[in-house]
Amino acid sequence: MAFFIFYSMKVVLSFLLFLFSFMSFAQNIKEYQWKNRLLVLVSKEPNSWESKQQRKIFEQNQLQLEERNMLLLNRQANSQDLARFSLDKNFEGVVLIGKDGGVKLKKPFLIKPQVIFDLVDTMPMRRLEMQNTNKY
């Protein structure tokens, strides 16, 4: 009986932590909406080799990230993320979320930062930002 109670509590606690984690991430996305573009590194393992390499590549381009109001986030893939971003269950890679909260790009690891920068620079909101920057 004690085992059953312990096991039940463990399942409930795991579910609550999972739910809180997802709700927290969803809130984070809304918190950044209209302020930042998000580069989400999605992997099955929290610190996979590919994820670490991709982060390292992006961090070498920190100035370009900052110019485009881009933040870099790591996410261990879960079913809600897969559904939210319309990802295949085996997806591991980069998801670009625009300032409007919409998914703009989904590419597997390893992607060159310039591919993402070029895409962002073609977006209407980014073009407006560049025009406003050039006025000063």
Side-chain angles (χ1 to χ4, degrees):
M1 182 69 169
F3 174 76
F4 177 73
I5 293 171
F6 174 74
Y7 180 75
S8 297
M9 288 176 57
K10 185 177 177 182
V11 169
V12 169
L13 184 59
S14 296
F15 175 74
L16 289 174
L17 288 172
F18 172 76
L19 185 62
F20 178 73
S21 170
F22 177 70
M23 288 170 53
S24 173
F25 183 61
Q27 285 176 326
N28 284 349
I29 289 177
K30 290 185 188 257
E31 181 181 314
Y32 296 121
Q33 195 169 4
W34 305 115
K35 299 175 193 168
N36 299 99
R37 294 172 184 91
L38 303 177
L39 275 174
V40 185
L41 306 181
V42 179
S43 59
K44 293 178 186 173
E45 299 295 321
N47 290 310
S48 71
W49 181 86
E50 292 87 357
S51 178
K52 285 181 183 178
Q53 289 301 108
Q54 189 70 73
R55 176 172 274 286
K56 185 177 178 180
I57 291 168
F58 281 126
E59 286 175 346
Q60 292 171 350
N61 293 273
Q62 188 62 38
L63 182 60
Q64 290 175 310
L65 290 171
E66 290 173 10
E67 286 174 4
R68 292 167 180 83
N69 301 93
M70 298 176 81
L71 298 177
L72 194 55
L73 304 173
N74 277 5
R75 284 293 293 165
Q76 186 172 355
N78 62 45
S79 58
Q80 280 82 8
D81 290 342
L82 298 176
R84 177 181 179 83
F85 301 137
S86 301
L87 302 174
D88 179 80
K89 67 179 181 176
N90 295 317
F91 179 83
E92 290 190 292
V94 178
V95 177
L96 172 62
I97 301 173
K99 285 188 173 183
D100 64 357
V103 174
K104 307 301 181 189
L105 175 90
K106 299 178 278 191
K107 290 285 186 184
F109 295 131
L110 296 165
I111 184 170
K112 294 179 182 179
Q114 196 59 48
V115 171
I116 292 176
F117 298 149
D118 289 346
L119 173 63
V120 169
D121 289 347
T122 65
M123 296 177 181
M125 195 176 298
R126 172 65 179 148
R127 287 180 180 253
L128 186 60
E129 292 168 357
M130 291 187 296
Q131 286 176 356
N132 290 339
T133 301
N134 290 336
K135 287 182 180 178
Y136 300 106

